[in-house]
């Protein structure tokens, strides 16, 4: 039996394991071990198990991950999200749907230091959802806004998804962050436009807010200053080469800690923040280890190269290859976690994208936007279920109904980035 056939059988077994709800990280690790052992030798596979996890965990390139997570957790524990939402709320005053606009704007700003979609959705929902319900908003609009707004955390840098993509494909992390800036802000703008159009077509979904004076609007901006300040400092520092992404992560975490302490964060909250960061980081690193072992198996099975040869023989155009890959991402995104999906699929499809002649930085942005769609599309939609845990009385049907316009917004953004690559590459 040749290596490619063994590879296909092992991948099929991995999908069966996932279907039976085995942890994705474990599924990748077991598949990688068994596949590599079957093709090369099991003593060699044991050697990978012996050294692989240590090499992965001691890799300095992965050190920004816990730092970026810590930034968002510090901000959440210090209840910065409350001041952020109320500050944004004053800016929109009596606009119909202004509270929804404030919620999605807050999600965009919070995600600028969080880097995690689930953390952004959970933190902002605890603050904004009760307020929108109390003010007579349709819960479909309220939950849809927050579920979609949370996805901004995966694109607006610093982003853990962009960081992992850069490390998997050996691209510059700084370039990935800079490339994600305009698409991330474009997503925020399109979400705001989606809310405005929705409440214009169906005014009954939202109520006008309270009138605020110019002085109150200026005062409300104070809630945005800590977030935008840290975000601007990190991005400008990376863009102008003042420090590396790893140094930026450490500076950002330290800056967020200082702000949190000034806002009264207690020792108990600090310990909880560290524990939560360790738990989330451990989960991600476990998936990275599984993906690393799976990567050894992919190399010896030559599945990726065989796939390139098959696609080349079909004489498909580059964009047909691209849309086939994106369709795969969308389908997998409906049932898998975004980080796990990137770790699992990028090593397989990246050679196809290289062979098709696409820019790897640009494809990273397109891939992450596509992954975003999976966070809010059925049957899983991780962000939707995060909101569901905070609003158990709202049906899943209503939530998906509310999030549908934002899915269309993301599709529009994806087509814009594909049609105009300079939106992602213009700042490089």
């Amino acid at each position: 039996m040749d290596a490619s056939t063994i590879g296909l059988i092992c991948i099929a077994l991995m999908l069966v394991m996932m279907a039976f709800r085995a942890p994705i990280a474990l599924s990748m690790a077991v598949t990688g071990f068994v596949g590599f052992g079957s093709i090369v030798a099991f003593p060699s596979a044991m050697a990978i198990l012996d050294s692989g996890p240590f090499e992965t965990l001691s890799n300095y390139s992965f050190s920004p991950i816990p730092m970026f997570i810590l930034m968002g957790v510090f901000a959440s524990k210090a209840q910065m999200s409350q001041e952020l939402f109320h500050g944004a709320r004053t800016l929109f005053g009596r606009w119909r749907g202004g509270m929804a606009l404030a919620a999605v704007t807050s999600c965009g700003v919070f995600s600028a230091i969080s880097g995690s979609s689930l953390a952004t959705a959970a933190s902002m929902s605890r603050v904004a959802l009760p307020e929108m319900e109390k003010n007579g908003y349709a819960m479909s609009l309220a939950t849809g806004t927050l579920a979609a707004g949370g996805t901004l955390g995966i694109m607006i840098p610093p982003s853990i998804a962009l960081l992992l993509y850069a490390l998997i494909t050996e691209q510059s992390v700084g370039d990935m962050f800079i490339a994600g800036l305009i698409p991330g802000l474009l997503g925020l703008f399109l979400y705001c436009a989606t809310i405005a159009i929705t409440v214009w077509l169906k005014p009954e979904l939202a109520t006008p807010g309270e009138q605020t004076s110019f002085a109150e609007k200026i005062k409300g901006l104070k809630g945005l200053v800590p977030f935008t300040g840290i975000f601007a400092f990190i991005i400008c520092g990376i863009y102008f080469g003042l420090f590396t992404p790893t140094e930026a992560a450490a500076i950002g975490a330290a800056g967020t800690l200082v702000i949190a302490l000034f806002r009264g964060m207690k020792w108990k909250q600090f310990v909880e923040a560290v524990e939560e960061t360790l738990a989330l980081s451990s989960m991600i690193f476990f998936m990275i280890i599984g993906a690393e072992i799976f990567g050894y198996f992919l190399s010896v099975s030559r599945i990726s190269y065989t796939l390139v040869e098959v696609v080349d023989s079909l004489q498909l155009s580059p964009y047909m290859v691209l849309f086939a890959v994106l369709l795969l991402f969308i389908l997998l995104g409906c049932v898998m976690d975004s980080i796990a999906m990137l770790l699992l699929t990028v090593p397989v499809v990246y050679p196809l994208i290289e062979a098709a002649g696409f820019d790897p930085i640009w494809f990273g942005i397109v891939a992450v936007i596509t992954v975003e769609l999976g966070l809010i599309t059925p049957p899983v939609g991780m962000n939707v279920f995060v909101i569901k845990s905070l609003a158990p009385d709202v049906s899943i049907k209503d939530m998906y109904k509310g999030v549908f316009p934002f899915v269309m917004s993301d599709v529009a953004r994806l087509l814009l980035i594909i049609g105009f690559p300079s939106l992602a590459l213009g700042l490089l």
Side-chain angles (χ1 to χ4, degrees):
M1 191 179 297
D2 62 22
S4 296
T5 303
I6 294 174
L8 291 174
I9 292 172
C10 288
I11 289 176
L13 292 175
M14 179 183 67
L15 295 176
V16 171
M17 289 177 65
M18 292 180 182
F20 281 98
R21 306 179 74 88
I24 293 174
L26 181 62
S27 300
M28 289 192 291
V30 170
T31 300
F33 173 77
V34 173
F36 190 92
S38 301
I39 295 171
V40 182
F42 279 98
S44 299
M46 288 298 298
I48 290 175
L49 282 184
D50 182 46
S51 61
F54 175 78
E55 291 176 0
T56 299
L57 295 177
S58 60
N59 188 339
Y60 185 69
S61 300
F62 291 120
S63 57
I65 293 175
M67 292 293 101
F68 284 137
I69 293 174
L70 191 60
M71 286 172 60
V73 177
F74 276 153
S76 178
K77 293 296 180 182
Q79 298 184 330
M80 295 183 193
S81 54
Q82 294 183 5
E83 186 172 350
L84 176 60
F85 173 70
H86 292 300
R89 183 178 174 181
T90 62
L91 297 179
F92 294 100
R94 286 191 57 80
W95 289 21
R96 183 176 292 276
M99 202 171 290
L101 290 169
V104 80
T105 302
S106 301
C107 285
V109 177
F110 188 87
S111 67
I113 67 168
S114 171
S116 167
S117 294
L118 298 180
T120 299
S123 298
M124 295 312 307
S125 295
R126 291 189 183 98
V127 177
L129 197 58
E131 292 291 324
M132 286 195 279
E133 184 176 14
K134 185 171 66 177
N135 282 270
Y137 274 65
M139 292 307 290
S140 59
L141 175 63
T143 54
T145 296
L146 290 164
T151 65
L152 295 170
I154 201 174
M155 176 56 69
I156 296 180
S159 160
I160 294 173
L162 292 177
L163 171 65
L164 288 175
Y165 174 86
L167 296 175
I168 293 169
T169 59
E170 299 182 349
Q171 302 300 314
S172 165
V173 175
D175 285 350
M176 285 303 309
F177 282 177
I178 299 300
L181 183 58
I182 292 178
L185 295 177
L186 178 61
L188 175 58
F189 171 78
L190 290 176
Y191 281 179
C192 288
T194 299
I195 293 170
I197 293 171
T198 300
V199 299
W200 177 63
L201 293 175
K202 297 182 177 180
E204 69 277 6
L205 295 179
T207 58
E210 298 178 359
Q211 182 68 43
T212 54
S213 65
F214 180 75
E216 289 173 321
K217 294 181 188 295
I218 296 298
K219 184 178 179 181
L221 287 173
K222 292 181 180 179
L224 309 181
V225 170
F227 294 86
T228 53
I230 293 174
F231 169 71
F233 186 71
I234 289 174
I235 294 301
C236 290
I238 293 175
Y239 186 77
F240 292 107
L242 300 178
F243 37 73
T244 66
T246 301
E247 293 165 344
I251 291 170
T256 309
L257 173 60
V258 170
I259 294 172
L261 291 174
F262 271 108
R263 293 176 183 271
M265 187 175 73
K266 306 299 183 184
W267 173 253
K268 181 181 177 182
Q269 294 171 311
F270 174 81
V271 172
E272 289 175 349
V274 173
E275 289 175 347
E276 187 173 334
T277 300
L278 288 172
L280 290 172
S281 299
S282 299
M283 180 186 69
I284 292 174
F285 277 114
F286 187 25
M287 287 194 287
I288 292 173
I289 291 171
E292 193 78 11
I293 298 171
F294 184 69
Y296 283 110
F297 155 66
L298 284 180
S299 297
V300 297
S301 69
R302 297 188 60 82
I303 287 178
S304 297
Y305 301 102
T306 303
L307 191 59
V308 170
E309 292 172 0
V310 170
V311 171
D312 186 57
S313 67
L314 295 175
Q315 297 184 336
L316 299 176
S317 71
Y319 280 97
M320 290 177 67
V321 174
L322 175 67
F323 283 111
V325 170
L326 296 185
L327 178 61
L328 172 66
F329 279 5
I330 291 173
L331 293 176
L332 290 178
C334 292
V335 295
M336 289 180 65
D337 170 73
S338 56
I339 299 297
M341 192 179 77
L342 284 174
L343 291 171
L344 178 64
T345 58
V346 169
V348 178
V349 303
Y350 184 69
L352 281 176
I353 296 302
E354 273 193 315
F358 290 111
D359 185 282
I361 299 288
W362 171 83
F363 174 71
I365 301 302
V366 170
V368 170
I369 291 175
T370 309
V371 167
E372 277 188 71
L373 282 169
L375 292 172
I376 53 177
T377 50
V380 177
M382 297 292 291
N383 275 22
V384 175
F385 281 90
V386 167
I387 308 300
K388 174 65 176 175
S389 67
L390 299 172
D393 295 335
V394 184
S395 68
I396 287 291
K397 179 181 177 181
D398 285 341
M399 288 186 175
Y400 281 125
K401 182 179 177 182
V403 88
F404 179 75
F406 298 98
V407 172
M408 294 297 99
S409 174
D410 273 341
V411 171
R413 177 171 50 146
L414 180 61
L415 294 176
L416 283 172
I417 301 296
I418 292 173
F420 303 96
S422 60
L423 289 173
L425 303 176
L427 294 179
L428 300 180

